[in-house]
Amino acid sequence: MIKRKKRNKAHNPFYDPTLKKRHASAKRFKKFTLTSLIFSIAFLAFFLFDMIGKGLPAFNITYVKVDVTFSEKTLEDTRFAVPTSYRNLVSRAALRDLPKLLEKNPTYMNSTQNLWILASSQVDQYVKNHNHNLKDKDIETVNELYAEGLIKKKFNAIFFTNGDSKIPEYAGIFSAVIGSILTLTITMLVAFPIGVMTAIYLEEFAGDNKFTRLIEININNLAAIPSILFGLLGLAIFINLFGMPRSSPLVGGLTLALMTLPIIIVSSRAALRAVPDSIRQAGYGLGLNKIQVTRDHVLPLAFPGIMTGSIIGLAQAMGETAPLIIIGMIAFIPDAPTMVTQAATVIPAQLFTWASMPEGMYIEKTAAGILVLLSILISLNAVAIYLRKKFEVKW
Amino acid sequence: MLSSLQSEKKRRELNEKLIKSALILAAVISILTTFGILFSILFEAIEFFKLRSFWYFLTGTTWSPGVANSQFGALPIFAGTFVITIIALLVAIPIGLGSAIYMSEYASPKLRDYLKPILEVLAGIPTVVYGFFAAITVAPLVVKVASFFGLEATFNSALASGIVMGIMIIPLISSLSDDVIRAVPDSQRKAAFGLGMTHGETIKNIVIPSAMPGIISASLLALSRALGETMIVVMAAGLRPNLSWNPLEDMTTVTVTIVNSLVGDFEFNSPETLSAFALGLVLFVVTLILNMISLSLIRKFKEKYKVNTL
């Protein structure tokens, strides 16, 4: 049997003795491509897992139940409001806020209350089994309190309501969120109209001439210029030449707008191009002029596509940091800005600042901030996909 | 009646002209931005070269800002940028191209519809997040792995930031290559199958060479992205200009140096601050050339295969 098969092969003029090897090589090649794909997806999974693992603990924060004495003396120097052995365990910042607490509860004056007070970051890190530098004596106290149930973790609302702070347990992302909103508002107010108008010009009005091609090449190049160079532009032109205030959402927003412009132009053009010519011709047939056709017929049909592109552009601007560092948006900002000309910071810049802090708690907060930033970005992209699906027209 | 119609027509024409010029004005802003970047950087860079020698900047090996008799020889900075970029491309090109080949040649259209957006998530992650990840997770990992092999790595090694940067640009390569590979006409594949080639051989000998201009274009875009990438290297690479080929040592890059010169407390007209613009000029020129080559390659590919979806 075996012998015959061999002879058959030998007599077969199409038999290729290297075939087995060739098939094996084809299989290896397929495996290599699959492996590289799996590697990229595995990396994404590892990254998300790592960030969630590092960030989740920050959404809880430790509180200690202590006797707080309210009197003239303790309000003057709030460190004396708690017993000496607790002094290293409670947050200095929380004690500083005692007068505010008294305002809310005037009956506390000249009495001692047993209250849940924010623990210091060291205690928090110790309770979470992270690196800490508590003294042995304090560790003993913490262990005792823990056994008695006088230490507990609560939801970290401070993280969402406070601005940046030099005291780790009091640092939050609120002012960065407001800064981001102000900055991105400027970005969209500038980039959206200019981008859409450019797209309309290129798609509907411009002929195929040198000027058009120059603009097209320019837009392609603009999309590929490193973001840090936009920061240099912002610094040299908006701040040094026009004298706009440094670190302000105004300058940041304008700088990001120039970066976002190509994304909006390219996607708006694609949306305009998708509107079939029959729509335009029907308009002309009724005696409308070019502007009326564009404004009343083409633009409304292209609008969902334009929105989708703009949201994606917004999401990209939201994650951008490098140009904002150059124009100084990494300042220490504890209070939320109220005007676009005030110094502000944005979420990614806040994360950058925290990431360079030595205390362990800032690492946790950076990761938590990353989770917040990523969830905003994912929601924005989800909205974009939803819009695209909902208004998708099959012509 | 007629005259009112005529004036109505005139009014309309005027209106049309106004709107059209507003649209042109908007389009011109993109050109102004590019020139704005070029000139704002160029003028400050010229200020710098008035203070310091241009040739020493390009060829000098000592970068020592902030000291008396400071020197600005950018060669170690270029070298560091080069090493980190090469590491990034060594990670991104094989993985990105492999993923693209699997998605376009082997995966079913349905699977591809799921895979592509997943890969594109990698491109949507903000660079500051990658930087944090590189500094907090990957750099200590590199140190551990290196010490396992008896090597010594620093916590700011070029390897850590290079790897993470490479992962960041995987989707850039995979997405563009995927489009290009799919644009190669099917008749070419069928001809290869008809000659008795295996699928693997068809891809290696026919499809990839045909798609080469697009793949090179994607790689050049990736290269220019890696050169200009800032946050990953600012957070994970070193600050020390280091003329070395060992990726386990810390190195600094053009973008890191730009950031450092501008966040310091130097006067705006000091050579320390102005040096950022000189480095920015180099970055601008290099990335502009890379983008131009990349764009013209992809245009040629489009003309050759008459595709208009790229």
Side-chain angles (χ1 to χ4, degrees), chain A residues 89-124:
Chain A
L89 306 185
V90 292
S91 165
R92 275 188 296 136
L95 290 181
R96 242 183 260 156
D97 276 353
L98 284 183
K100 266 190 218 155
L101 194 68
L102 189 67
E103 253 171 52
K104 264 191 221 152
N105 307 289
T107 49
Y108 283 179
M109 195 59 194
N110 294 323
S111 73
T112 299
Q113 300 284 333
N114 196 237
L115 298 171
W116 284 106
I117 297 286
L118 186 67
S120 75
S121 68
Q122 294 303 335
V123 173
D124 181 76

XYZ file of all heavy atoms in Angstrom, chain A residues 89-124:
286
model
N -2.950 60.590 62.504
C -3.853 59.689 61.776
C -4.907 60.432 60.979
O -5.408 59.932 59.986
C -4.542 58.726 62.744
C -3.606 57.917 63.645
C -4.403 56.911 64.460
C -2.550 57.196 62.827
N -5.286 61.629 61.446
C -6.346 62.343 60.731
C -5.726 63.344 59.758
O -4.596 63.786 59.928
C -7.307 63.074 61.692
C -8.101 62.074 62.489
C -6.549 64.019 62.569
N -6.514 63.660 58.754
C -6.037 64.558 57.716
C -5.947 65.984 58.243
O -6.893 66.500 58.827
C -6.982 64.493 56.527
O -6.754 65.571 55.679
N -4.802 66.638 58.020
C -4.645 68.038 58.425
C -5.666 68.914 57.714
O -6.232 69.840 58.278
C -3.240 68.518 58.052
C -2.186 68.193 59.068
C -0.894 68.875 58.688
N -0.382 68.371 57.413
C 0.101 69.143 56.461
N 0.123 70.442 56.615
N 0.561 68.621 55.329
N -5.903 68.582 56.446
C -6.821 69.395 55.654
C -8.243 69.296 56.193
O -8.986 70.277 56.232
C -6.776 68.953 54.204
N -8.606 68.075 56.628
C -9.964 67.893 57.148
C -10.137 68.690 58.441
O -11.189 69.282 58.690
C -10.230 66.413 57.391
N -9.075 68.731 59.263
C -9.167 69.489 60.516
C -9.301 70.982 60.224
O -10.015 71.703 60.925
C -7.932 69.237 61.382
C -7.832 67.834 61.976
C -6.590 67.708 62.836
C -9.069 67.494 62.789
N -8.614 71.415 59.178
C -8.694 72.828 58.824
C -10.126 73.237 58.464
O -10.498 74.400 58.539
C -7.772 73.103 57.616
C -6.675 74.082 57.960
C -5.863 74.368 56.719
N -4.640 73.604 56.699
C -3.979 73.288 55.596
N -4.480 73.621 54.410
N -2.850 72.629 55.646
N -10.909 72.264 58.051
C -12.293 72.556 57.654
C -13.265 72.511 58.824
O -14.470 72.674 58.633
C -12.747 71.572 56.574
C -12.309 72.039 55.194
O -11.785 73.175 55.117
O -12.482 71.285 54.232
N -12.746 72.292 60.057
C -13.637 72.183 61.215
C -14.530 73.412 61.400
O -15.716 73.267 61.695
C -12.830 71.916 62.488
C -12.313 70.485 62.656
C -11.594 70.337 63.977
C -13.436 69.472 62.538
N -13.991 74.655 61.242
C -14.863 75.829 61.394
C -16.081 75.764 60.476
O -17.185 76.160 60.880
C -13.951 76.999 61.012
C -12.585 76.518 61.321
C -12.595 75.048 61.057
N -15.892 75.236 59.273
C -17.022 75.111 58.346
C -18.067 74.156 58.908
O -19.276 74.377 58.790
C -16.525 74.573 56.992
C -16.208 75.675 55.996
C -15.961 75.059 54.621
C -14.839 75.797 53.904
N -14.184 74.964 52.911
N -17.558 73.068 59.505
C -18.454 72.078 60.096
C -19.261 72.709 61.219
O -20.464 72.456 61.382
C -17.609 70.910 60.626
C -18.354 69.635 60.988
C -18.907 68.995 59.730
C -17.415 68.670 61.693
N -18.581 73.577 61.973
C -19.233 74.246 63.096
C -20.338 75.180 62.602
O -21.400 75.287 63.216
C -18.182 75.037 63.886
C -18.661 75.625 65.219
C -18.969 74.499 66.188
C -17.604 76.543 65.786
N -20.074 75.830 61.482
C -21.083 76.724 60.913
C -22.369 75.968 60.615
O -23.477 76.480 60.808
C -20.543 77.331 59.608
C -20.173 78.798 59.726
C -19.450 79.276 58.484
O -19.983 79.067 57.379
O -18.338 79.835 58.645
N -22.183 74.745 60.118
C -23.356 73.930 59.777
C -24.062 73.453 61.033
O -25.293 73.327 61.054
C -22.908 72.713 58.941
C -23.053 72.942 57.442
C -22.863 71.629 56.706
C -22.036 71.832 55.457
N -21.300 70.632 55.083
N -23.294 73.118 62.056
C -23.873 72.611 63.303
C -23.432 73.486 64.471
O -22.499 73.153 65.188
C -23.402 71.166 63.570
C -23.657 70.272 62.384
O -24.780 69.927 62.077
N -22.587 69.914 61.713
N -24.082 74.623 64.667
C -23.629 75.574 65.695
C -23.679 74.988 67.106
O -22.969 75.460 68.000
C -24.612 76.741 65.556
C -25.300 76.544 64.240
C -25.265 75.097 63.948
N -24.472 73.935 67.297
C -24.598 73.362 68.648
C -23.323 72.674 69.099
O -23.155 72.361 70.268
C -25.735 72.334 68.680
O -25.562 71.454 67.566
C -27.090 73.002 68.608
N -22.365 72.404 68.163
C -21.129 71.695 68.515
C -20.212 72.539 69.393
O -19.309 72.015 70.027
C -20.350 71.311 67.260
C -20.899 70.127 66.510
C -20.291 69.687 65.342
C -22.017 69.433 66.965
C -20.778 68.600 64.640
C -22.516 68.351 66.277
C -21.900 67.938 65.111
O -22.375 66.878 64.428
N -20.410 73.884 69.395
C -19.478 74.757 70.093
C -19.355 74.362 71.565
O -20.344 74.054 72.224
C -19.962 76.213 69.968
C -18.912 77.224 70.340
S -17.434 77.058 69.306
C -16.267 78.037 70.199
N -18.103 74.363 72.022
C -17.780 74.018 73.399
C -18.284 72.635 73.792
O -18.817 72.435 74.886
C -18.335 75.058 74.368
C -17.633 76.373 74.166
O -16.427 76.403 73.899
N -18.379 77.452 74.258
N -18.129 71.692 72.877
C -18.489 70.318 73.232
C -17.514 69.380 72.523
O -16.733 69.800 71.678
C -19.915 70.004 72.800
O -19.966 69.871 71.388
N -17.568 68.127 72.906
C -16.736 67.140 72.223
C -17.646 66.175 71.489
O -18.568 65.619 72.087
C -15.868 66.382 73.246
O -15.029 67.348 73.886
C -15.020 65.337 72.563
N -17.410 66.033 70.202
C -18.268 65.181 69.379
C -17.467 63.995 68.862
O -16.290 64.120 68.554
C -18.807 65.973 68.178
C -19.628 67.184 68.543
C -21.017 66.811 69.008
O -21.550 65.778 68.629
N -21.594 67.651 69.851
N -18.126 62.845 68.779
C -17.484 61.666 68.204
C -17.848 61.602 66.717
O -18.970 61.269 66.368
C -17.988 60.424 68.948
C -17.101 59.229 68.675
O -17.556 58.202 68.212
N -15.805 59.384 68.921
N -16.882 61.976 65.849
C -17.209 62.149 64.429
C -16.316 61.297 63.538
O -15.197 60.949 63.917
C -17.012 63.618 64.027
C -17.875 64.656 64.708
C -17.377 66.039 64.354
C -19.328 64.494 64.313
N -16.832 60.985 62.341
C -15.988 60.356 61.313
C -15.193 61.456 60.613
O -15.754 62.331 59.991
C -16.850 59.633 60.277
C -17.414 58.333 60.752
C -18.708 58.094 61.095
C -16.716 57.113 60.929
N -18.865 56.782 61.482
C -17.646 56.150 61.399
C -15.383 56.718 60.760
C -17.293 54.842 61.676
C -15.037 55.401 61.048
C -15.991 54.468 61.507
N -13.883 61.404 60.779
C -13.026 62.412 60.160
C -12.125 61.724 59.140
O -11.688 60.588 59.345
C -12.157 63.115 61.238
C -13.040 63.865 62.236
C -11.139 64.065 60.614
C -13.643 65.128 61.705
N -11.855 62.417 58.047
C -10.990 61.881 56.991
C -9.623 61.509 57.559
O -9.008 62.287 58.287
C -10.824 62.943 55.898
C -10.081 62.511 54.648
C -10.882 61.480 53.888
C -9.804 63.718 53.768
N -9.170 60.310 57.235
C -7.856 59.878 57.708
C -6.765 60.466 56.837
O -7.015 60.872 55.705
C -7.786 58.359 57.678
N -5.550 60.485 57.363
C -4.439 60.989 56.545
C -4.113 59.969 55.464
O -4.472 58.796 55.547
C -3.211 61.236 57.417
O -2.612 60.006 57.744
N -3.405 60.446 54.445
C -3.156 59.564 53.296
C -2.328 58.354 53.706
O -2.492 57.263 53.165
C -2.447 60.344 52.200
O -1.151 60.694 52.601
N -1.446 58.538 54.695
C -0.608 57.406 55.127
C -1.463 56.287 55.716
O -1.246 55.110 55.439
C 0.436 57.878 56.151
C 1.465 58.831 55.598
C 2.215 58.256 54.414
O 2.334 57.050 54.242
N 2.702 59.136 53.554
N -2.447 56.676 56.552
C -3.340 55.682 57.138
C -4.113 54.984 56.033
O -4.242 53.749 56.016
C -4.318 56.350 58.143
C -5.359 55.356 58.631
C -3.553 56.952 59.296
N -4.599 55.778 55.085
C -5.361 55.222 53.969
C -4.531 54.199 53.202
O -4.996 53.098 52.900
C -5.791 56.373 53.049
C -6.606 55.891 51.874
O -7.791 55.575 52.089
O -6.070 55.818 50.765
